[in-house]
Amino acid sequence: MRIGSSIFLIALGAILAFAVQAQVSFVDITLVGYILMAVGVIGLIASLILAAPRRQARVSESRSVVDPNTGETITRRESRDTGL
């Protein structure tokens, strides 16, 4: 769930909870509105946490080896990201 859909659920829930005065025998519209608002808030918090910048570390390794057949020095450089 992204930020936009979370805000949509919060707005829809608020409309159902506070603006709609319809009576339905098998469901409580106000309770449905509160549930949608709660789901929207949880989704919004989760979206903001997942969208936050993360600390990343870059690891670089360099290895030099002498080839015994040719006597040539071979250098291998490797870098990788280690994120959370």
Side-chain angles (χ1 to χ4, degrees):
M1 184 180 313
R2 300 283 184 184
I3 294 174
S5 58
S6 298
I7 292 173
F8 174 76
L9 285 178
I10 293 170
L12 182 64
I15 290 170
L16 289 176
F18 303 122
V20 175
Q21 296 297 324
Q23 296 292 326
V24 181
S25 62
F26 57 89
V27 68
D28 185 10
I29 300 290
T30 305
L31 181 61
V32 171
Y34 287 132
I35 291 171
L36 286 175
M37 285 192 298
V39 169
V41 168
I42 292 170
L44 182 64
I45 292 170
S47 297
L48 291 175
I49 289 172
L50 292 176
R54 295 180 182 95
R55 188 179 135 221
Q56 294 182 354
R58 181 171 290 255
V59 177
S60 297
E61 290 182 11
S62 178
R63 296 180 187 202
S64 296
V65 178
V66 177
D67 187 3
N69 295 331
T70 62
E72 180 182 358
T73 303
I74 301 170
T75 303
R76 178 179 174 192
R77 291 187 181 92
E78 180 180 327
S79 64
R80 62 184 180 275
D81 293 330
T82 58
L84 295 175

